[in-house]
Amino acid sequence: DIQMTQSPSSLSASVGDRVTITCRASQSISSYLSWFQQKPGKPPKLLIYAASTLQSGVPSRFSGSGSGTDFTLTISSLQPEDFATYYCQQSYSTVTFGPGTKVDIK
Amino acid sequence: EVQLVESGGGLVQPGGSLRLSCAASGFPFSSYWMHWVRQAPGKGLVWVSRINSDGSSTSYADSVKGRFTISRDNAKNTLYLQMNSLRAEDTAVYYCARWSHSSGYYYLDYWGQGTLVTVSS
């Protein structure tokens, strides 16, 4: 089974900050990587798929990069509505999620 | 508008059974693979199961294999998860999600609001 790790597990940031979250797969997954945002009590929301393709309607301050085993999600200028937990997920072999990164207010 | 609405959750004793439903609308349900994903209270997302578009192929996480059964009724636009021999560790919000694809890449693009399953005596 493919294992996913994320770092950091949590971070504190201010509005306007540039935020980067890293996701690593236990084996190569090409670009079969998605990123989700989840707020408390809500379902996950797809932000990015195929490692770098922005889902329709998602603000352009979100971007994704990487291939193989190492991936990043970047929020170029953090907005108040971006405080949430972010998950990566591989779809190379069935489905596996990373453990999540909680982004909260500094 | 794509909508996925789960139902069937509730409180059940260990060893008991529940059947979850996910009613789909706003898209050609019979053309899409579907998944169940769960989230224990305060924890992360865990994939549970998936089914292909005509129901002929299924897959399960090891933690639920042999206890849970995913199925679908394309005439009723509904996805199901039959959960038997429930354990305390199955306590979670259960989400159904649509599996889409573009240019060879697959992703979970629409999710329901979830239904809470609590396994406790």
Side-chain angles (χ1 to χ4, degrees), chain A residues 31 33-35 46-59 62-66 71-73, chain B residues 101-103 105 107:
Chain A
S31 296
L33 193 283
S34 298
W35 289 97
L46 177 67
L47 299 176
I48 287 168
Y49 64 93
S52 61
T53 302
L54 203 64
Q55 171 69 343
S56 176
V58 174
F62 292 93
S63 64
S65 65
F71 302 86
T72 58
L73 172 70
Chain B
H101 64 87
S102 174
S103 301
Y105 291 96
Y107 46 92

Side-chain angles (χ1 to χ4, degrees), chain A residues 17-80:
Chain A
D17 285 352
R18 182 181 182 88
V19 169
T20 299
I21 298 169
T22 297
C23 175
R24 177 164 289 175
S26 60
Q27 66 183 74
S28 177
I29 58 170
S30 183
S31 296
Y32 292 89
L33 193 283
S34 298
W35 289 97
F36 294 88
Q37 176 194 69
Q38 188 180 33
K39 298 180 180 179
K42 298 295 187 181
K45 174 187 175 183
L46 177 67
L47 299 176
I48 287 168
Y49 64 93
S52 61
T53 302
L54 203 64
Q55 171 69 343
S56 176
V58 174
S60 59
R61 63 181 180 272
F62 292 93
S63 64
S65 65
S67 67
T69 60
D70 295 314
F71 302 86
T72 58
L73 172 70
T74 300
I75 309 173
S76 60
S77 178
L78 198 65
Q79 297 302 299

Side-chain angles (χ1 to χ4, degrees), chain A residues 8-21:
Chain A
S9 57
S10 66
L11 65 90
S12 296
S14 301
V15 172
D17 285 352
R18 182 181 182 88
V19 169
T20 299
I21 298 169

